Every structure is written in structure tokens, then in C-alpha cells.
């Protein structure tokens, strides 16, 4: 099945991190800005309003805060570790496709160690052993690395930002153990990961509200994030800024 990512959490976290350097939108893109193909902007802005002004404050945020307030930390950590462990094999393969042999080996070692010694992934033994927890790498990142563009940008109701290239992530669901998940199990995985992602943003919402155009900010940062995950090199690549962004988004 297609692997579902916590998009609402990603879009809000990305935007909050970048709001500090945002300025009023201009008609012409500035040098270094990500190139965005947004042919459905009118529709997307309407969906942004639904997601950000209604679904998030009245559904996503209250549920996420209730989850972190009432579920004990050890249980939440075990769930997060278990769900993250499911992504290790597909991330290993996608890193191999991209030529990242060292990262692929880390994903392999993390999976077998946490699955066997960590009670099926509930305990992150691999991190304690010093094996780096790299970001999840999707198949869309792998093909993007070799020049496949993002395609049209779409703001999906109740889901968040999405690009046509991400359709390729259906390939990740063909690998064990993600292949064992049915639709409802995958939906539960997305929901639980999204709750954790959203809860950490409650104290920073004013930053996004201060942006002159939150929709454009989220869109541009999301595309930048997609290009960064695909390890697309550009002349204006800011290693320090990208490392800073990656540090805060590595769990999503």
C-alpha cells in the first residue's frame, strides 16, 4: 500500500522554522527560491483555508494535545519507535538507489537490531549502540535525485501538501514490513505520527500567523524540503541552513 506521511505536521513545522526569514511575496521568484509548479493555486488556497483555519484548530490540534497529555511517555516512545522501524527497509533500498551505501547499511543494521533486540522495534537499541538514525528516504526522493521533477503542487483536504512525484511512494509499500499493512493500519500509522508532529508546534503557532502569506510560505518550504530530501544540489545550496532544517524535521 502507499505509505502515508504526516503531512499536516510537516507543513506546519517546516513553515514555522522558516517564517523568521520570510518576506512579502513577490511576483518574480528571488534567486535561490525553489521553483514551484502550482497550476491549481486557487483551489489549493481554498484547501489551505479549510486545513489551517478549521481542521487544524478544531480537530487536529485538540486531538494531538490530548494524545500527548494523557498517553504516558514510555508508551508513546514505544509506539513511535515501532512505527519508525517499519520504514527502515524501504529507506535502505532507496538510499541504495541514490548511491548512499553508508546510510543504507545504517538502515539495515537499525532494522535487524531493533526488530530482534528491541522487541520488534519498540525499543531503539540501535541508537543506544551508536547507529545513526537517518531520515526516512522515500522512493520519490530517489527518483527526484535523478532528475524527476516534483510535478504539480496540490493542497489535499485533511492531508496537506503533496506533489505528483510522491505518487511513486506506492513502491515503498511493496517492501516488508510495510507490505503487511492494510489501509487501516497505514492510516493509523499516519495518524499517530501526525499527532506527535503536531503537538510540538503548539507553542510556536504565532510565528506562522505572522507571515504575510502563510500559504506561499508553506508551499515554497515544502518544495524546498522535497528537493533537500532528494539531495538535489543547487548553486545556492546553503549547507548550514539545510542542516538546521533537517535537524528539526528528521523525525517526520
Amino acid at each position: 500500500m502507499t505509505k502515508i506521511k504526516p503531512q499536516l505536521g510537516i507543513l506546519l513545522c517546516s513553515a514555522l522554522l522558516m517564517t523568521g526569514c520570510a518576506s512579502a511575496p513577490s511576483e518574480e521568484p528571488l534567486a535561490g527560491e525553489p521553483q514551484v509548479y502550482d497550476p491549481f493555486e486557487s483551489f489549493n488556497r481554498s484547501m489551505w483555508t479549510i486545513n489551517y483555519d478549521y481542521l487544524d484548530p478544531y480537530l487536529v490540534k485538540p486531538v494531538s494535545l490530548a494524545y500527548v497529555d494523557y498517553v504516558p511517555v514510555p508508551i508513546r516512545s514505544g509506539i513511535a519507535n515501532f512505527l519508525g522501524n517499519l520504514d527502515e527497509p524501504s529507506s535502505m533500498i532507496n538510499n541504495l538507489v541514490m548511491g548512499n551505501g553508508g546510510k543504507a547499511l545504517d538502515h539495515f543494521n537499525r532494522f535487524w537490531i531493533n526488530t530482534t533486540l528491541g522487541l520488534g522495534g519498540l525499543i531503539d537499541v540501535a541508537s543506544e549502540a551508536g547507529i545513526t538514525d537517518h531520515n526516512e528516504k522515500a522512493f520519490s526522493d530517489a527518483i527526484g535525485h535523478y532528475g524527476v521533477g516534483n510535478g504539480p503542487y496540490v493542497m489535499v483536504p485533511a492531508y496537506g501538501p503533496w506533489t505528483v512525484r510522491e505518487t511513486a511512494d506506492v513502491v515503498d509499500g511493496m517492501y516488508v514490513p510495510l507490505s503487511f499493512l492494510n489501509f487501516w493500519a497505514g492510516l493509523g500509522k499516519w495518524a499517530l505520527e501526525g499527532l506527535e508532529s503536531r503537538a510540538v508546534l503548539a507553542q510556536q503557532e504565532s510565528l506562522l500567523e505572522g507571515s504575510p502569506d502563510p500559504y506561499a510560505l508553506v508551499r515554497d518550504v515544502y518544495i524546498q524540503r522535497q528537493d533537500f530530501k532528494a539531495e538535489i544540489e543547487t548553486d545556492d545550496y546553503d549547507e548550514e541552513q539545510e542542516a538546521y532544517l533537517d535537524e528539526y524535521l528528521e523525525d517526520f
Side-chain angles (χ1 to χ4, degrees), residues 130-142:
I131 301 176
T132 303
D133 183 4
H134 299 288
N135 293 336
E136 173 194 348
K137 195 70 74 175
F139 186 65
S140 61
D141 301 327

Side-chain angles (χ1 to χ4, degrees), residues 11-53:
L11 77 91
L12 287 170
C13 189
S14 300
L16 290 172
L17 287 172
M18 299 297 290
T19 299
C21 33
S23 58
S26 59
E27 295 183 359
E28 296 296 329
L30 299 176
E33 287 188 349
Q35 297 300 308
V36 180
Y37 182 39
D38 190 3
F40 312 116
E41 182 171 353
S42 178
F43 168 83
N44 287 339
R45 285 186 178 274
S46 296
M47 294 306 102
W48 164 260
T49 299
I50 292 174
N51 287 342
Y52 183 69
D53 291 345

Side-chain angles (χ1 to χ4, degrees), residues 60-61 64-69 76 193-203:
V60 179
K61 179 181 176 181
S64 65
L65 293 181
Y67 176 73
V68 300
D69 287 342
R76 286 170 45 214
E193 291 175 334
L195 290 178
E196 289 284 0
S197 302
R198 180 62 185 89
V200 302
L201 306 174
Q203 304 301 318

